[in-house]
């Protein structure tokens, strides 16, 4: 029995030597959801702070990008760009308060300048959390014409920039360029280990096809930047959050770059190609005007499919960390992952005895046995930001539910359909429980590690008890986790 991959994945990332393997997350679409909702419901509007950027006139791009990035490279979306048959939606919350303060002082962005809306430091940067907070999905809505905004300028502003950097400029902030090593590749880009981080480099808006595919557009990268900020907000800031965890993959920085691939990256790419045989086109082909978004992410490790678990304690901690992370995200955002297969769970070993979570104000420490978990890929996820409900209408992809019977992943999609009644906008935290049951099956049937017959009975008993839980929050009370959680009530 072979587990099937996620449906309709835009890219498949492959890795070579397992010690350097890295899986790249594909974040779900926010901007496309807005565009489709705009087409279907003309009363819908994006958040006010995002609207400030969306209202940017097209003429602004030349002053932001200089001579290299010409007007031919950035185009205001034509009407046909709204015709995206992906089933993505955003539902506007009907209870609006007063509008947020106008960060531009009442002037249009063309007069204000990106630097004033997104203040830069001396190096031309803005702290990424500050920049993303101005684009928060929970900002108040305002009206905007979908045909008047410049997505490239919006992307620059979201990354706290007034003009693109070179790749060498961002690389040099994190390590000596000669130490860079390629660790993975995908249809739409490359992944490099840079210092202690992973750089995901995605070309966009160019005419050159990337590995046979049309390059991504500015608006597609903009939504990924915005959603990354929302997910990062689950990380605790000085202990003030009622719900926090560090299990969802962290993006530390995001930058727009332009120019030829740097020589250090080309050497790292060629070293990888010599050892593993790259399936991608050589990046030396990118022209001088090529633009990229660089996502600087934590190194989450290897996926559960390829990671070698040592013993039952590691398996228990894996389940405990995922269950509690889902519980935290349920409490904070009514979050449902809806695609938590073994390729979307990253694992690494680190010398920590426990990892901290905060659930509804209660501090919880989970025993790790040296194993840390990261959750990635939110393409099918559902989230309530407080102002918007973002979700994917899975009914638009009937093939998702047509996988072979007995395949644990395919069966889980069908169970989700039964639980939701195909009302994918709604909150059904039971879907998180279904994926926990899937993971128990994976640990029983697909993974080899040191365990006893009693350990296997405990896993089967857990799977049976999960039937009675309506959410990951409820599942945290299960006796299976009792010796893993240390709770400090406030």
């Amino acid at each position: 029995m072979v587990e099937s991959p996620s449906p309709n994945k835009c890219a498949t990332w492959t890795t070579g030597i397992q010690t350097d393997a890295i899986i790249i997350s594909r974040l779900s679409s926010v901007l496309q959801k807005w565009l489709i909702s705009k087409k279907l419901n003309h009363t819908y509007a994006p958040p006010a702070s995002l609207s400030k950027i969306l209202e940017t006139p097209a003429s602004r791009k030349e002053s932001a990008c200089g001579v290299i990035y010409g007007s031919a490279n950035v185009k205001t979306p034509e009407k046909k760009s709204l015709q995206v048959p992906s089933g993505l939606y955003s539902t506007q919350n009907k209870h609006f308060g007063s509008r947020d303060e106008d960060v531009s002082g009442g002037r249009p962005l063309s007069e204000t300048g990106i630097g004033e809306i997104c203040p830069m430091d001396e190096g031309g940067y803005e702290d990424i959390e500050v920049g993303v907070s101005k684009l928060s999905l929970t900002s108040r809505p305002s009206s905007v014409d979908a045909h008047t905004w410049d997505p490239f300028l919006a992307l620059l502003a979201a990354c706290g920039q007034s003009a693109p950097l070179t790749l060498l400029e961002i690389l040099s902030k994190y390590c000596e360029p000669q130490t860079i090593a390629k660790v993975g590749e995908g249809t739409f880009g490359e992944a490099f280990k840079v210092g202690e981080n992973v750089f995901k480099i995605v070309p966009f808006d160019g005419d050159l096809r990337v590995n046979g595919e049309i390059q991504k557009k500015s608006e597609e990268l903009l939504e990924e930047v915005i959603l990354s900020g929302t997910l990062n907000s689950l990380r605790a800031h000085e202990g003030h959050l009622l719900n926090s965890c560090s299990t969802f993959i962290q993006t530390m920085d995001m930058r727009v770059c332009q120019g030829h691939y740097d020589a250090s990256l080309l050497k790292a790419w060629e070293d990888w190609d010599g050892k593993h045989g790259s399936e991608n086109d050589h990046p030396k082909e990118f022209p001088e005007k090529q633009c990229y978004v660089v996502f600087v992410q934590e190194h989450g490790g290897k996926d559960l499919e390829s990671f070698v678990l040592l013993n039952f304690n590691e398996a228990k901690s894996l389940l405990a960390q995922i269950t509690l992370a889902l519980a935290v995200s349920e409490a904070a955002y009514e979050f449902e992952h809806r695609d938590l297969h073994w390729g979307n769970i990253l694992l690494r070993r680190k010398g920590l005895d426990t990892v901290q979570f905060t659930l509804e104000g209660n501090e919880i420490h989970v025993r790790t046995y040296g194993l840390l978990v990261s959750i990635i890929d939110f393409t099918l996820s559902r989230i309530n930001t407080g102002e918007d409900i973002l979700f994917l209408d899975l009914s638009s992809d009937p093939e998702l539910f047509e996988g072979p019977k007995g395949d644990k992943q395919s069966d889980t999609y069908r169970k989700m359909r039964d639980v939701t009644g195909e009302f994918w906008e709604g909150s059904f935290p039971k879907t998180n429980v279904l994926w926990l049951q899937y993971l128990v099956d994976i640990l029983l049937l697909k993974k080899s590690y040191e365990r006893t017959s009693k350990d296997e009975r405990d896993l089967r008993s857990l799977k049976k008890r999960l039937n009675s839980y309506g959410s990951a929050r409820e599942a945290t009370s299960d006796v299976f986790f009792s010796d893993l959680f240390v709770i400090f009530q406030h």
Side-chain angles (χ1 to χ4, degrees), residues 34-102:
W34 170 72
L35 289 171
I36 294 167
S37 296
K38 181 73 176 177
K39 180 183 179 184
L40 298 177
N41 177 9
H42 294 289
T43 64
Y44 177 78
S49 51
L50 180 56
S51 297
K52 284 295 172 188
I53 292 177
L54 299 184
E55 289 168 356
T56 306
S59 61
R60 179 66 180 164
K61 61 178 168 284
E62 296 180 4
S63 60
C65 307
V67 177
I68 293 180
Y69 199 95
S71 59
N73 296 84
V74 180
K75 298 179 181 179
T76 301
E78 299 175 2
K79 191 168 186 178
K80 64 181 180 181
S81 68
L82 298 179
Q83 298 172 353
V84 184
S86 61
L88 292 168
Y89 293 94
S90 171
T91 300
Q92 185 179 5
N93 189 311
K94 301 302 181 183
H95 304 287
F96 300 134
S98 59
R99 179 172 173 170
D100 284 352
E101 181 180 354
D102 187 342

Side-chain angles (χ1 to χ4, degrees), residues 29 33 58 77 100 258 262 302 304 346 358 380 433 480 487:
S29 175
K33 294 174 185 177
D100 284 352
Q258 185 177 45
D262 187 73
K302 293 183 288 186
L304 175 58
L346 305 186
T358 305
L380 306 189
V433 178
F480 184 86
I487 302 175

Side-chain angles (χ1 to χ4, degrees), residues 385-402:
T385 68
E387 298 292 344
D388 295 298
I389 297 174
L390 306 175
F391 68 103
L392 187 72
D393 185 359
L394 301 184
S395 301
S396 65
D397 185 14
E399 292 183 2
L400 177 65
F401 308 101
E402 296 173 0

Side-chain angles (χ1 to χ4, degrees), residues 349-392:
R349 290 194 171 88
K350 199 167 183 179
L352 295 176
D353 294 330
T354 63
V355 61
Q356 181 178 329
F357 297 76
T358 305
L359 177 59
E360 297 171 345
N362 295 315
E363 184 178 317
I364 304 173
H365 292 254
V366 178
R367 290 186 174 88
T368 67
Y369 298 99
L371 189 71
L372 284 184
V373 179
S374 294
I375 296 173
I376 64 170
D377 195 345
F378 312 100
T379 306
L380 306 189
S381 299
R382 186 260 189 200
I383 191 170
N384 182 350
T385 68
E387 298 292 344
D388 295 298
I389 297 174
L390 306 175
F391 68 103
L392 187 72

Side-chain angles (χ1 to χ4, degrees), residues 8-46:
N8 299 331
K9 276 204 170 184
C10 296
T12 300
W13 292 83
T14 59
T15 57
I17 300 174
Q18 285 196 346
T19 55
D20 287 332
I22 181 69
I23 302 298
I24 304 299
S25 59
R26 173 69 178 95
L27 299 178
S28 60
S29 175
V30 174
L31 197 61
Q32 285 186 358
K33 294 174 185 177
W34 170 72
L35 289 171
I36 294 167
S37 296
K38 181 73 176 177
K39 180 183 179 184
L40 298 177
N41 177 9
H42 294 289
T43 64
Y44 177 78

Side-chain angles (χ1 to χ4, degrees), residues 118-127 156 159-163 165 255:
C118 298
M120 313 295 172
D121 61 22
E122 293 181 357
Y125 296 95
E126 178 189 34
D127 181 87
L156 276 175
C159 293
Q161 298 172 245
S162 58
L165 304 171
R255 298 296 170 193

